[in-house]
Amino acid sequence: QVRLVESGGGLVQAGGSLTLSCEVSTSSFSFTDLGWYRRASGNQRELVATTTRGGAATYADSVKGRFTISLVNAKKSVYLQMNSLKPEDTAVYYCYYREMRPFDTPREYWGQGTQVTVSS
């Protein structure tokens, strides 16, 4: 069974920084995508940043140049460094893990979510 444990959310002023962490509890660390989505109040969940096992990253246009995703395979963890935060970055951030399964379709897992609030 896969479990995602997130940490690092909080309240920060505009222009500030936060780092989110997600540790994947699993017997095997084999995935197609690992990263972060977010849902702002009244909006749909949207991609923020994801990475492949090899470290190829994808970013939403709105966070390019400000956010950096990093993967530490040895810790089965992914991090999201968020700089130059804006009030519009306020949302619940969810860790996302798409497990690769031999001879089967991938399975998706979501963390419980961590609140990020950016004050103006």
Side-chain angles (χ1 to χ4, degrees):
Q1 185 66 22
V2 175
R3 192 166 66 98
L4 308 180
V5 180
E6 303 152 335
S7 62
L11 172 65
V12 65
Q13 288 188 331
S17 298
L18 281 175
T19 301
L20 304 183
S21 303
C22 176
E23 182 177 356
V24 184
S25 176
T26 178
S27 58
S28 68
F29 193 50
S30 180
F31 61 92
T32 61
D33 299 274
L34 172 61
W36 299 90
Y37 282 69
R38 68 186 180 188
R39 178 182 288 155
S41 179
N43 292 351
Q44 291 186 333
R45 187 153 49 189
E46 63 176 4
L47 178 144
V48 177
T50 61
T51 183
T52 65
R53 184 72 188 270
T58 299
Y59 293 94
D61 288 343
S62 61
V63 307
K64 283 180 180 176
R66 300 188 297 122
F67 291 11
T68 303
I69 190 169
S70 59
L71 174 67
V72 180
N73 284 303
K75 294 185 177 182
K76 298 181 181 179
S77 295
V78 66
Y79 305 90
L80 185 68
Q81 175 66 43
M82 304 184 293
N83 298 327
S84 302
L85 283 161
K86 305 175 181 180
E88 51 263 43
D89 294 317
T90 295
V92 178
Y93 284 68
Y94 297 91
C95 185
Y96 169 77
Y97 179 76
R98 192 166 185 262
E99 181 185 40
M100 186 182 298
R101 301 189 296 165
F103 311 110
D104 205 344
T105 56
R107 180 176 290 175
E108 297 180 336
Y109 296 88
W110 295 91
Q112 78 281 4
T114 185
Q115 177 70 46
V116 172
T117 302
V118 184
S119 63
S120 57

